[in-house]
mmCIF file of all heavy atoms in Angstrom:
data_model
loop_
_atom_site.group_PDB
_atom_site.id
_atom_site.type_symbol
_atom_site.label_atom_id
_atom_site.label_comp_id
_atom_site.label_asym_id
_atom_site.label_seq_id
_atom_site.Cartn_x
_atom_site.Cartn_y
_atom_site.Cartn_z
ATOM 1 N N GLN P 27 49.868 100.715 80.076
ATOM 2 C CA GLN P 27 51.080 101.534 80.235
ATOM 3 C C GLN P 27 52.327 100.689 80.522
ATOM 4 O O GLN P 27 53.407 101.234 80.729
ATOM 5 C CB GLN P 27 50.904 102.549 81.372
ATOM 6 C CG GLN P 27 49.863 103.619 81.106
ATOM 7 C CD GLN P 27 48.466 103.173 81.475
ATOM 8 O OE1 GLN P 27 48.275 102.514 82.494
ATOM 9 N NE2 GLN P 27 47.492 103.527 80.654
ATOM 10 N N CYS P 28 52.174 99.367 80.558
ATOM 11 C CA CYS P 28 53.292 98.502 80.948
ATOM 12 C C CYS P 28 54.256 98.275 79.784
ATOM 13 O O CYS P 28 53.930 98.504 78.617
ATOM 14 C CB CYS P 28 52.778 97.155 81.444
ATOM 15 S SG CYS P 28 52.018 97.233 83.068
ATOM 16 N N HIS P 29 55.456 97.819 80.142
ATOM 17 C CA HIS P 29 56.466 97.415 79.170
ATOM 18 C C HIS P 29 56.713 95.915 79.315
ATOM 19 O O HIS P 29 56.323 95.307 80.319
ATOM 20 C CB HIS P 29 57.760 98.182 79.382
ATOM 21 C CG HIS P 29 57.593 99.671 79.307
ATOM 22 N ND1 HIS P 29 57.427 100.344 78.111
ATOM 23 C CD2 HIS P 29 57.534 100.614 80.282
ATOM 24 C CE1 HIS P 29 57.292 101.637 78.343
ATOM 25 N NE2 HIS P 29 57.349 101.829 79.657
ATOM 26 N N VAL P 30 57.374 95.340 78.331
ATOM 27 C CA VAL P 30 57.615 93.898 78.352
ATOM 28 C C VAL P 30 58.360 93.487 79.608
ATOM 29 O O VAL P 30 58.050 92.466 80.230
ATOM 30 C CB VAL P 30 58.402 93.470 77.091
ATOM 31 C CG1 VAL P 30 58.827 92.010 77.199
ATOM 32 C CG2 VAL P 30 57.557 93.684 75.843
ATOM 33 N N ALA P 31 59.350 94.286 80.017
ATOM 34 C CA ALA P 31 60.146 93.943 81.202
ATOM 35 C C ALA P 31 59.282 93.837 82.455
ATOM 36 O O ALA P 31 59.604 93.074 83.375
ATOM 37 C CB ALA P 31 61.244 94.980 81.414
ATOM 38 N N ASP P 32 58.167 94.581 82.491
ATOM 39 C CA ASP P 32 57.281 94.528 83.656
ATOM 40 C C ASP P 32 56.595 93.177 83.801
ATOM 41 O O ASP P 32 56.175 92.799 84.902
ATOM 42 C CB ASP P 32 56.208 95.618 83.556
ATOM 43 C CG ASP P 32 56.807 97.017 83.539
ATOM 44 O OD1 ASP P 32 57.830 97.208 84.208
ATOM 45 O OD2 ASP P 32 56.253 97.885 82.854
ATOM 46 N N LEU P 33 56.463 92.451 82.696
ATOM 47 C CA LEU P 33 55.726 91.185 82.714
ATOM 48 C C LEU P 33 56.614 89.980 82.979
ATOM 49 O O LEU P 33 56.110 88.857 83.095
ATOM 50 C CB LEU P 33 55.009 90.983 81.368
ATOM 51 C CG LEU P 33 54.065 92.099 80.914
ATOM 52 C CD1 LEU P 33 53.393 91.701 79.603
ATOM 53 C CD2 LEU P 33 53.014 92.398 81.971
ATOM 54 N N LEU P 34 57.907 90.191 83.071
ATOM 55 C CA LEU P 34 58.833 89.061 83.207
ATOM 56 C C LEU P 34 58.950 88.634 84.662
ATOM 57 O O LEU P 34 59.610 89.289 85.470
ATOM 58 C CB LEU P 34 60.211 89.445 82.647
ATOM 59 C CG LEU P 34 60.234 89.857 81.166
ATOM 60 C CD1 LEU P 34 61.641 90.223 80.745
ATOM 61 C CD2 LEU P 34 59.683 88.743 80.285
ATOM 62 N N VAL P 35 58.303 87.534 84.991
ATOM 63 C CA VAL P 35 58.368 86.949 86.335
ATOM 64 C C VAL P 35 59.021 85.581 86.188
ATOM 65 O O VAL P 35 58.461 84.672 85.570
ATOM 66 C CB VAL P 35 56.966 86.807 86.958
ATOM 67 C CG1 VAL P 35 57.060 86.160 88.325
ATOM 68 C CG2 VAL P 35 56.296 88.170 87.052
ATOM 69 N N LYS P 36 60.182 85.423 86.757
ATOM 70 C CA LYS P 36 60.966 84.211 86.538
ATOM 71 C C LYS P 36 60.436 83.020 87.325
ATOM 72 O O LYS P 36 59.922 83.143 88.423
ATOM 73 C CB LYS P 36 62.431 84.450 86.916
ATOM 74 C CG LYS P 36 63.206 85.265 85.894
ATOM 75 C CD LYS P 36 64.690 85.223 86.179
ATOM 76 C CE LYS P 36 65.484 85.904 85.067
ATOM 77 N NZ LYS P 36 66.935 85.824 85.303
ATOM 78 N N ASN P 37 60.606 81.839 86.714
ATOM 79 C CA ASN P 37 60.430 80.570 87.418
ATOM 80 C C ASN P 37 61.801 80.068 87.854
ATOM 81 O O ASN P 37 62.822 80.453 87.278
ATOM 82 C CB ASN P 37 59.786 79.525 86.500
ATOM 83 C CG ASN P 37 58.305 79.759 86.311
ATOM 84 O OD1 ASN P 37 57.606 80.146 87.234
ATOM 85 N ND2 ASN P 37 57.813 79.531 85.102
ATOM 86 N N GLU P 38 61.820 79.186 88.860
ATOM 87 C CA GLU P 38 63.092 78.691 89.373
ATOM 88 C C GLU P 38 63.269 77.186 89.186
ATOM 89 O O GLU P 38 64.344 76.664 89.421
ATOM 90 C CB GLU P 38 63.229 79.037 90.867
ATOM 91 C CG GLU P 38 63.309 80.528 91.139
ATOM 92 C CD GLU P 38 64.448 81.204 90.409
ATOM 93 O OE1 GLU P 38 65.559 80.629 90.367
ATOM 94 O OE2 GLU P 38 64.236 82.308 89.864
ATOM 95 N N GLY P 39 62.227 76.473 88.788
ATOM 96 C CA GLY P 39 62.344 75.035 88.569
ATOM 97 C C GLY P 39 63.180 74.727 87.335
ATOM 98 O O GLY P 39 63.121 75.446 86.326
ATOM 99 N N GLU P 40 63.960 73.655 87.405
ATOM 100 C CA GLU P 40 64.859 73.315 86.298
ATOM 101 C C GLU P 40 64.088 72.965 85.032
ATOM 102 O O GLU P 40 64.532 73.269 83.929
ATOM 103 C CB GLU P 40 65.763 72.140 86.705
ATOM 104 C CG GLU P 40 66.739 72.483 87.825
ATOM 105 C CD GLU P 40 67.636 71.318 88.161
ATOM 106 O OE1 GLU P 40 67.493 70.254 87.501
ATOM 107 O OE2 GLU P 40 68.470 71.454 89.070
ATOM 108 N N ASN P 41 62.957 72.316 85.175
ATOM 109 C CA ASN P 41 62.183 71.893 84.011
ATOM 110 C C ASN P 41 61.040 72.844 83.688
ATOM 111 O O ASN P 41 60.263 72.582 82.768
ATOM 112 C CB ASN P 41 61.628 70.485 84.237
ATOM 113 C CG ASN P 41 62.727 69.450 84.409
ATOM 114 O OD1 ASN P 41 63.755 69.523 83.732
ATOM 115 N ND2 ASN P 41 62.525 68.509 85.312
ATOM 116 N N ASP P 42 60.924 73.921 84.456
ATOM 117 C CA ASP P 42 59.884 74.910 84.193
ATOM 118 C C ASP P 42 60.338 75.878 83.110
ATOM 119 O O ASP P 42 61.538 76.048 82.872
ATOM 120 C CB ASP P 42 59.568 75.702 85.464
ATOM 121 C CG ASP P 42 58.919 74.833 86.530
ATOM 122 O OD1 ASP P 42 58.267 73.850 86.156
ATOM 123 O OD2 ASP P 42 59.080 75.141 87.731
ATOM 124 N N PRO P 43 59.388 76.522 82.447
ATOM 125 C CA PRO P 43 59.774 77.613 81.536
ATOM 126 C C PRO P 43 60.536 78.695 82.297
ATOM 127 O O PRO P 43 60.381 78.842 83.516
ATOM 128 C CB PRO P 43 58.427 78.130 81.017
ATOM 129 C CG PRO P 43 57.472 77.002 81.212
ATOM 130 C CD PRO P 43 57.935 76.282 82.436
ATOM 131 N N LEU P 44 61.350 79.436 81.595
ATOM 132 C CA LEU P 44 62.161 80.469 82.238
ATOM 133 C C LEU P 44 61.274 81.504 82.919
ATOM 134 O O LEU P 44 61.574 81.980 84.016
ATOM 135 C CB LEU P 44 63.070 81.143 81.208
ATOM 136 C CG LEU P 44 64.002 82.243 81.728
ATOM 137 C CD1 LEU P 44 64.937 81.692 82.804
ATOM 138 C CD2 LEU P 44 64.792 82.861 80.584
ATOM 139 N N TYR P 45 60.171 81.858 82.280
ATOM 140 C CA TYR P 45 59.259 82.867 82.823
ATOM 141 C C TYR P 45 57.879 82.262 83.070
ATOM 142 O O TYR P 45 57.447 81.348 82.355
ATOM 143 C CB TYR P 45 59.140 84.059 81.871
ATOM 144 C CG TYR P 45 60.439 84.789 81.666
ATOM 145 C CD1 TYR P 45 61.171 84.623 80.488
ATOM 146 C CD2 TYR P 45 60.953 85.628 82.649
ATOM 147 C CE1 TYR P 45 62.378 85.288 80.306
ATOM 148 C CE2 TYR P 45 62.153 86.292 82.470
ATOM 149 C CZ TYR P 45 62.859 86.115 81.301
ATOM 150 O OH TYR P 45 64.057 86.762 81.124
ATOM 151 N N ASP P 46 57.221 82.790 84.086
ATOM 152 C CA ASP P 46 55.884 82.321 84.440
ATOM 153 C C ASP P 46 54.866 82.978 83.515
ATOM 154 O O ASP P 46 54.480 84.141 83.699
ATOM 155 C CB ASP P 46 55.588 82.663 85.904
ATOM 156 C CG ASP P 46 54.338 81.969 86.417
ATOM 157 O OD1 ASP P 46 53.422 81.747 85.600
ATOM 158 O OD2 ASP P 46 54.278 81.653 87.608
ATOM 159 N N VAL P 47 54.428 82.226 82.517
ATOM 160 C CA VAL P 47 53.461 82.730 81.545
ATOM 161 C C VAL P 47 52.048 82.666 82.112
ATOM 162 O O VAL P 47 51.191 83.490 81.771
ATOM 163 C CB VAL P 47 53.556 81.930 80.226
ATOM 164 C CG1 VAL P 47 52.519 82.411 79.224
ATOM 165 C CG2 VAL P 47 54.958 82.045 79.631
ATOM 166 N N ALA P 48 51.806 81.736 83.023
ATOM 167 C CA ALA P 48 50.458 81.545 83.565
ATOM 168 C C ALA P 48 49.960 82.788 84.289
ATOM 169 O O ALA P 48 48.788 83.154 84.184
ATOM 170 C CB ALA P 48 50.439 80.336 84.504
ATOM 171 N N VAL P 49 50.869 83.451 85.036
ATOM 172 C CA VAL P 49 50.446 84.634 85.792
ATOM 173 C C VAL P 49 50.113 85.788 84.847
ATOM 174 O O VAL P 49 49.164 86.543 85.073
ATOM 175 C CB VAL P 49 51.545 85.024 86.816
ATOM 176 C CG1 VAL P 49 52.780 85.549 86.128
ATOM 177 C CG2 VAL P 49 51.021 86.045 87.803
ATOM 178 N N VAL P 50 50.867 85.919 83.759
ATOM 179 C CA VAL P 50 50.569 86.954 82.761
ATOM 180 C C VAL P 50 49.262 86.636 82.045
ATOM 181 O O VAL P 50 48.445 87.530 81.781
ATOM 182 C CB VAL P 50 51.730 87.075 81.757
ATOM 183 C CG1 VAL P 50 51.389 88.065 80.650
ATOM 184 C CG2 VAL P 50 53.012 87.493 82.474
ATOM 185 N N LEU P 51 49.053 85.377 81.743
ATOM 186 C CA LEU P 51 47.818 84.962 81.077
ATOM 187 C C LEU P 51 46.611 85.280 81.939
ATOM 188 O O LEU P 51 45.579 85.760 81.440
ATOM 189 C CB LEU P 51 47.878 83.461 80.781
ATOM 190 C CG LEU P 51 46.650 82.847 80.122
ATOM 191 C CD1 LEU P 51 46.397 83.490 78.769
ATOM 192 C CD2 LEU P 51 46.828 81.341 79.976
ATOM 193 N N ARG P 52 46.734 85.051 83.237
ATOM 194 C CA ARG P 52 45.618 85.322 84.150
ATOM 195 C C ARG P 52 45.255 86.808 84.144
ATOM 196 O O ARG P 52 44.076 87.175 84.107
ATOM 197 C CB ARG P 52 45.997 84.865 85.554
ATOM 198 C CG ARG P 52 44.901 85.044 86.572
ATOM 199 C CD ARG P 52 45.146 84.209 87.799
ATOM 200 N NE ARG P 52 44.071 84.361 88.762
ATOM 201 C CZ ARG P 52 43.761 83.476 89.698
ATOM 202 N NH1 ARG P 52 44.455 82.362 89.786
ATOM 203 N NH2 ARG P 52 42.767 83.690 90.539
ATOM 204 N N VAL P 53 46.275 87.668 84.165
ATOM 205 C CA VAL P 53 46.037 89.107 84.138
ATOM 206 C C VAL P 53 45.458 89.538 82.794
ATOM 207 O O VAL P 53 44.560 90.382 82.727
ATOM 208 C CB VAL P 53 47.343 89.862 84.429
ATOM 209 C CG1 VAL P 53 47.189 91.342 84.141
ATOM 210 C CG2 VAL P 53 47.767 89.652 85.874
ATOM 211 N N LEU P 54 45.956 88.952 81.726
ATOM 212 C CA LEU P 54 45.474 89.303 80.389
ATOM 213 C C LEU P 54 44.001 88.941 80.232
ATOM 214 O O LEU P 54 43.216 89.709 79.654
ATOM 215 C CB LEU P 54 46.320 88.581 79.338
ATOM 216 C CG LEU P 54 46.061 88.938 77.882
ATOM 217 C CD1 LEU P 54 46.253 90.426 77.648
ATOM 218 C CD2 LEU P 54 46.974 88.130 76.968
ATOM 219 N N GLN P 55 43.613 87.802 80.742
ATOM 220 C CA GLN P 55 42.206 87.400 80.680
ATOM 221 C C GLN P 55 41.335 88.350 81.494
ATOM 222 O O GLN P 55 40.214 88.679 81.088
ATOM 223 C CB GLN P 55 42.067 85.956 81.185
ATOM 224 C CG GLN P 55 42.675 84.932 80.241
ATOM 225 C CD GLN P 55 42.760 83.543 80.848
ATOM 226 O OE1 GLN P 55 42.709 83.381 82.077
ATOM 227 N NE2 GLN P 55 42.892 82.529 80.003
ATOM 228 N N SER P 56 41.870 88.797 82.635
ATOM 229 C CA SER P 56 41.139 89.776 83.446
ATOM 230 C C SER P 56 40.991 91.089 82.690
ATOM 231 O O SER P 56 39.928 91.724 82.725
ATOM 232 C CB SER P 56 41.869 90.003 84.772
ATOM 233 O OG SER P 56 41.235 91.003 85.537
ATOM 234 N N TYR P 57 42.055 91.493 81.996
ATOM 235 C CA TYR P 57 41.998 92.743 81.218
ATOM 236 C C TYR P 57 40.950 92.642 80.113
ATOM 237 O O TYR P 57 40.182 93.588 79.891
ATOM 238 C CB TYR P 57 43.367 93.036 80.606
ATOM 239 C CG TYR P 57 43.338 94.180 79.624
ATOM 240 C CD1 TYR P 57 43.375 95.501 80.057
ATOM 241 C CD2 TYR P 57 43.246 93.938 78.251
ATOM 242 C CE1 TYR P 57 43.323 96.549 79.157
ATOM 243 C CE2 TYR P 57 43.195 94.980 77.344
ATOM 244 C CZ TYR P 57 43.240 96.288 77.803
ATOM 245 O OH TYR P 57 43.183 97.323 76.907
ATOM 246 N N VAL P 58 40.924 91.535 79.411
ATOM 247 C CA VAL P 58 39.964 91.370 78.311
ATOM 248 C C VAL P 58 38.534 91.457 78.842
ATOM 249 O O VAL P 58 37.662 92.063 78.214
ATOM 250 C CB VAL P 58 40.205 90.026 77.589
ATOM 251 C CG1 VAL P 58 39.090 89.749 76.587
ATOM 252 C CG2 VAL P 58 41.557 90.043 76.884
ATOM 253 N N CYS P 59 38.284 90.877 80.017
ATOM 254 C CA CYS P 59 36.944 90.965 80.618
ATOM 255 C C CYS P 59 36.593 92.405 80.975
ATOM 256 O O CYS P 59 35.471 92.863 80.731
ATOM 257 C CB CYS P 59 36.884 90.094 81.869
ATOM 258 S SG CYS P 59 36.952 88.320 81.536
ATOM 259 N N GLU P 60 37.568 93.137 81.542
ATOM 260 C CA GLU P 60 37.323 94.532 81.906
ATOM 261 C C GLU P 60 37.149 95.394 80.660
ATOM 262 O O GLU P 60 36.335 96.316 80.631
ATOM 263 C CB GLU P 60 38.499 95.063 82.737
ATOM 264 C CG GLU P 60 38.681 94.401 84.094
ATOM 265 C CD GLU P 60 37.627 94.815 85.090
ATOM 266 O OE1 GLU P 60 37.029 95.896 84.931
ATOM 267 O OE2 GLU P 60 37.378 94.041 86.040
ATOM 268 N N MET P 61 37.934 95.089 79.622
ATOM 269 C CA MET P 61 37.915 95.882 78.396
ATOM 270 C C MET P 61 36.572 95.817 77.689
ATOM 271 O O MET P 61 36.149 96.767 77.024
ATOM 272 C CB MET P 61 39.033 95.387 77.480
ATOM 273 C CG MET P 61 39.169 96.093 76.137
ATOM 274 S SD MET P 61 38.080 95.435 74.830
ATOM 275 C CE MET P 61 38.541 93.709 74.851
ATOM 276 N N SER P 62 35.890 94.692 77.821
ATOM 277 C CA SER P 62 34.622 94.518 77.119
ATOM 278 C C SER P 62 33.574 95.560 77.520
ATOM 279 O O SER P 62 32.678 95.879 76.745
ATOM 280 C CB SER P 62 34.072 93.107 77.382
ATOM 281 O OG SER P 62 33.850 92.925 78.767
ATOM 282 N N SER P 63 33.721 96.109 78.717
ATOM 283 C CA SER P 63 32.766 97.127 79.181
ATOM 284 C C SER P 63 33.384 98.523 79.236
ATOM 285 O O SER P 63 32.809 99.440 79.806
ATOM 286 C CB SER P 63 32.258 96.748 80.586
ATOM 287 O OG SER P 63 33.334 96.642 81.497
ATOM 288 N N ASN P 64 34.558 98.670 78.632
ATOM 289 C CA ASN P 64 35.251 99.959 78.658
ATOM 290 C C ASN P 64 35.540 100.416 77.233
ATOM 291 O O ASN P 64 36.474 99.925 76.593
ATOM 292 C CB ASN P 64 36.558 99.827 79.449
ATOM 293 C CG ASN P 64 37.303 101.152 79.542
ATOM 294 O OD1 ASN P 64 36.772 102.204 79.193
ATOM 295 N ND2 ASN P 64 38.537 101.097 79.990
ATOM 296 N N PRO P 65 34.764 101.347 76.719
ATOM 297 C CA PRO P 65 34.954 101.790 75.320
ATOM 298 C C PRO P 65 36.260 102.527 75.095
ATOM 299 O O PRO P 65 36.715 102.638 73.957
ATOM 300 C CB PRO P 65 33.746 102.717 75.085
ATOM 301 C CG PRO P 65 33.353 103.182 76.454
ATOM 302 C CD PRO P 65 33.656 102.044 77.383
#
């Protein structure tokens, strides 16, 4: 039920990506694991 804006978590380091992709990736991997047992 989420929207793209919900996933935007900013980083503050000058050399870091603008958004923290790692935290979204972690949640996405968790979703895929849960989805495998949810028809």
